[in-house]
Amino acid sequence: MTRRVIEQFAHRQDLTPRAGQRLAALTSRELEAVKLVALGLSNNEIAERLVISPLTAKTHITRAIAKLNVRDRVQLVILAYESGLIRPGA
């Protein structure tokens, strides 16, 4: 169900410039972590990709959620698509 919602949302073309501006608050590492969350990776998978510990991956994601003032990983993914950070098929 979640995958279908994300797929439908991802095909929308009405990107929000303000969403992209919000991402400027993130460090480069937090931004990398957000991209990987949006691709559906777990904390362990993100840690492997970024060559960091799972705890550090979780910290990057937690800080991104706080800085972007979103409720959870789902909203983080939505923001990634709204901003154009992630495109369908990426």
Side-chain angles (χ1 to χ4, degrees), residues 12-69:
R12 291 179 29 195
Q13 295 300 314
D14 57 335
L15 301 179
T16 308
R18 193 170 41 140
Q21 293 169 353
R22 290 173 63 189
L23 295 177
L26 302 180
T27 66
S28 60
R29 210 56 158 164
E30 290 165 348
L31 193 58
E32 287 178 278
V34 168
K35 286 180 186 178
L36 296 174
V37 167
L39 293 174
L41 276 62
S42 69
N43 288 352
N44 288 337
E45 292 167 329
I46 292 169
E48 287 178 23
R49 289 263 185 110
L50 299 181
V51 191
I52 57 178
S53 75
L55 181 59
T56 301
K58 182 178 179 180
T59 299
H60 288 319
I61 295 162
T62 300
R63 287 184 180 159
I65 287 171
K67 286 180 179 181
L68 297 171
N69 195 30

Side-chain angles (χ1 to χ4, degrees), residues 2-3 5-17 19-20 23 34-40 68 73-90:
T2 302
R3 184 177 299 271
V5 170
I6 290 173
E7 285 173 359
Q8 287 181 354
F9 182 83
H11 290 2
R12 291 179 29 195
Q13 295 300 314
D14 57 335
L15 301 179
T16 308
L23 295 177
V34 168
K35 286 180 186 178
L36 296 174
V37 167
L39 293 174
L68 297 171
R73 288 173 80 109
V74 173
Q75 285 190 333
L76 197 60
V77 171
I78 290 169
L79 181 63
Y81 277 97
E82 281 183 339
S83 68
L85 179 65
I86 293 294
R87 297 284 182 168

